[in-house]
Amino acid sequence: MLHNNKKTLLCSATALVATLLAAGSAQAGETMDAVKERGQVVCGVSTGLPGFSSPDDQGNWEGIDVDVCHGVAAAVFGDASKVQFVPLNAKERFTALQSGEIDVLSRNTTWTATRDTTLGLNFTGVSFYDGQGFLVKESLGVDSAMQLDGAAFCVQSGTTTELNLADYFQANDMSFEPVVFDTSDQTVGGFEAGRCDVLTSDTSQLNALRIKLSDPDGAKVLPQVISKEPLGPVVRQGDDQWFNAVKWTLFAMINAEEMGITSENADEMKESDKPGIKRFMGDEGNFGEAMGLPADWAYNIVSQVGNYGEVFDRNVGAGSPLNIERGINALWTDGGVQYAPPIR
Amino acid sequence: MTTPSSPPPRGKTPFWRDPAKRALMFQALMLAALFAAIGFIVSNTLDNLDARGITTGFGFLDDTAGFGIVQSLIDYSPQSTYGRTFLVGLMNTLLVSALGVLAATVIGFLMGIARLSPNWLIARLAGAYVEIFRNIPLLLQIFFWYFAVLRTLPSPRQSMSLGEAVFLNIRGLVVPAPVSESGLVWTLVALVVAVIAAIVLVRWNRRRQEATGDRLPAGWISAGMIVGMPLLVFVASGMPLTWDIPKLGGFNFSGGITVLPELLALWLALSIYTGSFIAEIVRSGIQAVSSGQTEAARALSLSGGMTLRLVVIPQAMRVIIPPLTSQYLNLIKNSSLATAIGYPDLVSVFAGTTLNQTGQAIEVIMMTMAVYLILSLLVSMFMNWFNARMALVER
Ligand SMILES: N[C@@H](CCC(=O)N[C@@H](CS)C(=O)NCC(=O)O)C(=O)O
């Protein structure tokens, strides 16, 4: 009996050790191989934020973050639809990526030093330049953040929002009452019901959340922007091949806009004999190879998903209910800061 | 080891033939293997975390937290450390657990006794309470109190008020805060003296009753002393206590004490839910005392209340305490559902926000688990001690 016990113990211990050994450090190529074998990119998105990632009435995910995932699938498989979406709230997202549950996190996530350097994760670029703001009810009669001394703020737990809020109020020597919820539904619900006076989040998200309110015209976003929130896709640290593939997917979208390549004219442009465009289309050189991608990876992204401008307009810009201006998200050639290294 | 009938064989038994020693050896081996396995897992995990570039260690506890917490029983500001957020969360967990244990015990005992009432209506009402609240998942009950009840309260400006001193609105319950002035110590001293005197009186009364059979109404006298003495001193010393009455200003009330709606909802749900289980425990405990005991007490012409207090409950307690302990443990652990409605308990503040801002999941989760484990062990220890005492009294 005793002997038996010892045996089972040793067996389970070995099994456990084996699993932990197998879950060794991330290696270059590991993620790409797993993705190809699975036939799908598993992409972490929000639980529902119009314009960034939210399911439509048919349950199809749409938004700018979602299109980044489609872009990665187009680059890897030549088929933008090969994505599986995993909705995550702010608290769950990094663990989901660290543990390998998802391949990419594309969920309005702010690039900060702590997240980039201590979590074993890498940000691959910036898909949207944002900043934190405040949403208040018109009836509150407030038109500047400086009038919010002593107010209650609904804020989502595990976000940079929580930290900026404390910084701002300390810097301005004002007091605040944080009312912290886990999910965005609860955060918005608390604001609507009057549990707090102010809803605070990234400004673009406030615009998105405002249109979800039962009375969108009864609320307004205050003019103050209190932080820098560069949002971008994130991957696990240590797998450089996958890091490159995700990073260059976004760069390809931005480059395409700069070169005037769109989902509509991509096939025509493929016939172009301009060297830059030929390189982009994969007709000259093979820039996908080292990333484990086919030569026409960039062409697939643009023809199936569109360039950065198209993606922006369709989801958050003029062609969407959010109607956010390009502002600093315009290309560097148009006075914005979106700038991608060249494909050569 | 011993074979009393036959003489021991020549020489000593080799230890591998001695079952007791052999068992000892195997146990030592197993323990060694267990520790080796744990050590291996720990070092392997650390290696893997390091290889993946994930920061480890407890150094983060000294870093500045940088986020606000809405309720804290100790000094806290966003400039405090992550270590401090642990304490704030822990205190908030203890607060709601203690309030919950108290209220659940009161509700449970009242309802358990009511269920046995000869009054048809009272018994049925208590029965309905038990069946309803015991059978609805706790999380739903928390949501019910929070979203269906407290969320429908008016805004601060339209608060319901009680004598313009106590206000109830969607931001919580605001009550006047007592502000002590110099001289209040004497009232407290009087209270302490009264309590000590009451204890002495009750003991003396019991001994006297055992010796002579006479008894004073010690309970009433003690109650009178405990209320009366401090009151007398309070008035005599010029009522050194003022009230900080909440005032509406700006966005909300200022002054007074605000009980958060999250705390109210969690407290209500935990006490009513756990109270329904305690009611059943109390009922079964009382019914476990054989009816002969009651009849005997009646035959001695003890009144109904005395029968319950002196005969039934002391015996029922022995049956009640062990399962009651489990209910207390459940309540403490269930308080971690706080995070679902944003009450800043340990899980929400530390295993939630702090974990997320630092990314040190393993350390944070281990500390949190250790807290619940230690809390539960402490409660069990206390209840075991209490149980042992109750058992002795029986004789
Ligand atoms: N960009 C910030 C905030 C991101 C964030 O989580 N914002 C909320 C806005 S209320 C959200 O998107 N919630 C959606 C969800 O939890 O699914 C960060 O990275 O910490």
Side-chain angles (χ1 to χ4, degrees), chain B residues 1-11 13:
Chain B
M1 190 152 84
T2 49
T3 45
S5 49
S6 56
R10 287 157 289 134
T13 325

mmCIF file with all atom_site columns, all heavy atoms in Angstrom, chain B residues 1-11 13:
data_model
loop_
_atom_site.group_PDB
_atom_site.id
_atom_site.type_symbol
_atom_site.label_atom_id
_atom_site.label_alt_id
_atom_site.label_comp_id
_atom_site.label_asym_id
_atom_site.label_entity_id
_atom_site.label_seq_id
_atom_site.pdbx_PDB_ins_code
_atom_site.Cartn_x
_atom_site.Cartn_y
_atom_site.Cartn_z
_atom_site.occupancy
_atom_site.B_iso_or_equiv
_atom_site.pdbx_formal_charge
_atom_site.auth_seq_id
_atom_site.auth_comp_id
_atom_site.auth_asym_id
_atom_site.auth_atom_id
_atom_site.pdbx_PDB_model_num
ATOM 1  N N   . MET B 1 1  ? 6.371  -5.510  16.196 1.00 0.00 ? 1  MET B N   1
ATOM 2  C CA  . MET B 1 1  ? 7.711  -5.399  16.757 1.00 0.00 ? 1  MET B CA  1
ATOM 3  C C   . MET B 1 1  ? 7.864  -6.364  17.928 1.00 0.00 ? 1  MET B C   1
ATOM 4  O O   . MET B 1 1  ? 8.876  -7.049  18.040 1.00 0.00 ? 1  MET B O   1
ATOM 5  C CB  . MET B 1 1  ? 7.964  -3.971  17.229 1.00 0.00 ? 1  MET B CB  1
ATOM 6  C CG  . MET B 1 1  ? 9.420  -3.775  17.580 1.00 0.00 ? 1  MET B CG  1
ATOM 7  S SD  . MET B 1 1  ? 9.976  -2.099  17.380 1.00 0.00 ? 1  MET B SD  1
ATOM 8  C CE  . MET B 1 1  ? 9.490  -1.367  18.904 1.00 0.00 ? 1  MET B CE  1
ATOM 9  N N   . THR B 1 2  ? 6.813  -6.437  18.746 1.00 0.00 ? 2  THR B N   1
ATOM 10 C CA  . THR B 1 2  ? 6.948  -7.329  19.900 1.00 0.00 ? 2  THR B CA  1
ATOM 11 C C   . THR B 1 2  ? 6.200  -8.639  19.668 1.00 0.00 ? 2  THR B C   1
ATOM 12 O O   . THR B 1 2  ? 5.104  -8.634  19.108 1.00 0.00 ? 2  THR B O   1
ATOM 13 C CB  . THR B 1 2  ? 6.378  -6.657  21.162 1.00 0.00 ? 2  THR B CB  1
ATOM 14 O OG1 . THR B 1 2  ? 5.100  -6.144  20.831 1.00 0.00 ? 2  THR B OG1 1
ATOM 15 C CG2 . THR B 1 2  ? 7.267  -5.566  21.665 1.00 0.00 ? 2  THR B CG2 1
ATOM 16 N N   . THR B 1 3  ? 6.791  -9.684  20.027 1.00 0.00 ? 3  THR B N   1
ATOM 17 C CA  . THR B 1 3  ? 6.139  -10.993 19.923 1.00 0.00 ? 3  THR B CA  1
ATOM 18 C C   . THR B 1 3  ? 6.186  -11.615 21.312 1.00 0.00 ? 3  THR B C   1
ATOM 19 O O   . THR B 1 3  ? 7.097  -12.371 21.635 1.00 0.00 ? 3  THR B O   1
ATOM 20 C CB  . THR B 1 3  ? 6.854  -11.891 18.905 1.00 0.00 ? 3  THR B CB  1
ATOM 21 O OG1 . THR B 1 3  ? 8.259  -11.770 19.152 1.00 0.00 ? 3  THR B OG1 1
ATOM 22 C CG2 . THR B 1 3  ? 6.561  -11.471 17.491 1.00 0.00 ? 3  THR B CG2 1
ATOM 23 N N   . PRO B 1 4  ? 5.206  -11.263 22.118 1.00 0.00 ? 4  PRO B N   1
ATOM 24 C CA  . PRO B 1 4  ? 5.277  -11.623 23.530 1.00 0.00 ? 4  PRO B CA  1
ATOM 25 C C   . PRO B 1 4  ? 5.264  -13.134 23.787 1.00 0.00 ? 4  PRO B C   1
ATOM 26 O O   . PRO B 1 4  ? 5.890  -13.590 24.719 1.00 0.00 ? 4  PRO B O   1
ATOM 27 C CB  . PRO B 1 4  ? 4.046  -10.948 24.138 1.00 0.00 ? 4  PRO B CB  1
ATOM 28 C CG  . PRO B 1 4  ? 3.184  -10.526 22.998 1.00 0.00 ? 4  PRO B CG  1
ATOM 29 C CD  . PRO B 1 4  ? 3.995  -10.538 21.773 1.00 0.00 ? 4  PRO B CD  1
ATOM 30 N N   . SER B 1 5  ? 4.604  -13.923 22.883 1.00 0.00 ? 5  SER B N   1
ATOM 31 C CA  . SER B 1 5  ? 4.453  -15.349 23.161 1.00 0.00 ? 5  SER B CA  1
ATOM 32 C C   . SER B 1 5  ? 5.768  -16.115 22.964 1.00 0.00 ? 5  SER B C   1
ATOM 33 O O   . SER B 1 5  ? 6.160  -16.943 23.769 1.00 0.00 ? 5  SER B O   1
ATOM 34 C CB  . SER B 1 5  ? 3.347  -15.939 22.291 1.00 0.00 ? 5  SER B CB  1
ATOM 35 O OG  . SER B 1 5  ? 3.561  -15.546 20.956 1.00 0.00 ? 5  SER B OG  1
ATOM 36 N N   . SER B 1 6  ? 6.504  -15.764 21.843 1.00 0.00 ? 6  SER B N   1
ATOM 37 C CA  . SER B 1 6  ? 7.733  -16.527 21.585 1.00 0.00 ? 6  SER B CA  1
ATOM 38 C C   . SER B 1 6  ? 8.937  -15.689 21.984 1.00 0.00 ? 6  SER B C   1
ATOM 39 O O   . SER B 1 6  ? 8.901  -14.467 21.901 1.00 0.00 ? 6  SER B O   1
ATOM 40 C CB  . SER B 1 6  ? 7.816  -16.879 20.102 1.00 0.00 ? 6  SER B CB  1
ATOM 41 O OG  . SER B 1 6  ? 7.740  -15.690 19.345 1.00 0.00 ? 6  SER B OG  1
ATOM 42 N N   . PRO B 1 7  ? 10.023 -16.316 22.410 1.00 0.00 ? 7  PRO B N   1
ATOM 43 C CA  . PRO B 1 7  ? 11.224 -15.574 22.763 1.00 0.00 ? 7  PRO B CA  1
ATOM 44 C C   . PRO B 1 7  ? 11.835 -14.943 21.522 1.00 0.00 ? 7  PRO B C   1
ATOM 45 O O   . PRO B 1 7  ? 11.693 -15.491 20.416 1.00 0.00 ? 7  PRO B O   1
ATOM 46 C CB  . PRO B 1 7  ? 12.145 -16.655 23.350 1.00 0.00 ? 7  PRO B CB  1
ATOM 47 C CG  . PRO B 1 7  ? 11.652 -17.935 22.768 1.00 0.00 ? 7  PRO B CG  1
ATOM 48 C CD  . PRO B 1 7  ? 10.196 -17.780 22.532 1.00 0.00 ? 7  PRO B CD  1
ATOM 49 N N   . PRO B 1 8  ? 12.488 -13.803 21.647 1.00 0.00 ? 8  PRO B N   1
ATOM 50 C CA  . PRO B 1 8  ? 13.086 -13.152 20.474 1.00 0.00 ? 8  PRO B CA  1
ATOM 51 C C   . PRO B 1 8  ? 14.136 -14.062 19.836 1.00 0.00 ? 8  PRO B C   1
ATOM 52 O O   . PRO B 1 8  ? 14.858 -14.770 20.551 1.00 0.00 ? 8  PRO B O   1
ATOM 53 C CB  . PRO B 1 8  ? 13.724 -11.882 21.046 1.00 0.00 ? 8  PRO B CB  1
ATOM 54 C CG  . PRO B 1 8  ? 13.799 -12.079 22.520 1.00 0.00 ? 8  PRO B CG  1
ATOM 55 C CD  . PRO B 1 8  ? 12.765 -13.068 22.896 1.00 0.00 ? 8  PRO B CD  1
ATOM 56 N N   . PRO B 1 9  ? 14.225 -14.083 18.509 1.00 0.00 ? 9  PRO B N   1
ATOM 57 C CA  . PRO B 1 9  ? 15.218 -14.917 17.822 1.00 0.00 ? 9  PRO B CA  1
ATOM 58 C C   . PRO B 1 9  ? 16.622 -14.409 18.135 1.00 0.00 ? 9  PRO B C   1
ATOM 59 O O   . PRO B 1 9  ? 16.803 -13.284 18.582 1.00 0.00 ? 9  PRO B O   1
ATOM 60 C CB  . PRO B 1 9  ? 14.872 -14.755 16.350 1.00 0.00 ? 9  PRO B CB  1
ATOM 61 C CG  . PRO B 1 9  ? 14.091 -13.484 16.252 1.00 0.00 ? 9  PRO B CG  1
ATOM 62 C CD  . PRO B 1 9  ? 13.426 -13.295 17.575 1.00 0.00 ? 9  PRO B CD  1
ATOM 63 N N   . ARG B 1 10 ? 17.582 -15.234 17.815 1.00 0.00 ? 10 ARG B N   1
ATOM 64 C CA  . ARG B 1 10 ? 18.960 -14.855 18.093 1.00 0.00 ? 10 ARG B CA  1
ATOM 65 C C   . ARG B 1 10 ? 19.295 -13.548 17.397 1.00 0.00 ? 10 ARG B C   1
ATOM 66 O O   . ARG B 1 10 ? 18.847 -13.294 16.280 1.00 0.00 ? 10 ARG B O   1
ATOM 67 C CB  . ARG B 1 10 ? 19.928 -15.922 17.590 1.00 0.00 ? 10 ARG B CB  1
ATOM 68 C CG  . ARG B 1 10 ? 19.957 -17.213 18.406 1.00 0.00 ? 10 ARG B CG  1
ATOM 69 C CD  . ARG B 1 10 ? 20.478 -18.345 17.518 1.00 0.00 ? 10 ARG B CD  1
ATOM 70 N NE  . ARG B 1 10 ? 19.507 -18.729 16.503 1.00 0.00 ? 10 ARG B NE  1
ATOM 71 C CZ  . ARG B 1 10 ? 19.796 -18.919 15.229 1.00 0.00 ? 10 ARG B CZ  1
ATOM 72 N NH1 . ARG B 1 10 ? 21.011 -18.725 14.783 1.00 0.00 ? 10 ARG B NH1 1
ATOM 73 N NH2 . ARG B 1 10 ? 18.865 -19.303 14.397 1.00 0.00 ? 10 ARG B NH2 1
ATOM 74 N N   . GLY B 1 11 ? 20.105 -12.735 18.053 1.00 0.00 ? 11 GLY B N   1
ATOM 75 C CA  . GLY B 1 11 ? 20.540 -11.456 17.477 1.00 0.00 ? 11 GLY B CA  1
ATOM 76 C C   . GLY B 1 11 ? 19.374 -10.500 17.340 1.00 0.00 ? 11 GLY B C   1
ATOM 77 O O   . GLY B 1 11 ? 18.276 -10.737 17.821 1.00 0.00 ? 11 GLY B O   1
ATOM 78 N N   . THR B 1 13 ? 16.652 -8.185  15.061 1.00 0.00 ? 13 THR B N   1
ATOM 79 C CA  . THR B 1 13 ? 15.964 -8.234  13.777 1.00 0.00 ? 13 THR B CA  1
ATOM 80 C C   . THR B 1 13 ? 16.592 -7.176  12.874 1.00 0.00 ? 13 THR B C   1
ATOM 81 O O   . THR B 1 13 ? 16.743 -6.027  13.302 1.00 0.00 ? 13 THR B O   1
ATOM 82 C CB  . THR B 1 13 ? 14.473 -7.884  13.942 1.00 0.00 ? 13 THR B CB  1
ATOM 83 O OG1 . THR B 1 13 ? 14.043 -8.395  15.175 1.00 0.00 ? 13 THR B OG1 1
ATOM 84 C CG2 . THR B 1 13 ? 13.652 -8.370  12.792 1.00 0.00 ? 13 THR B CG2 1
#
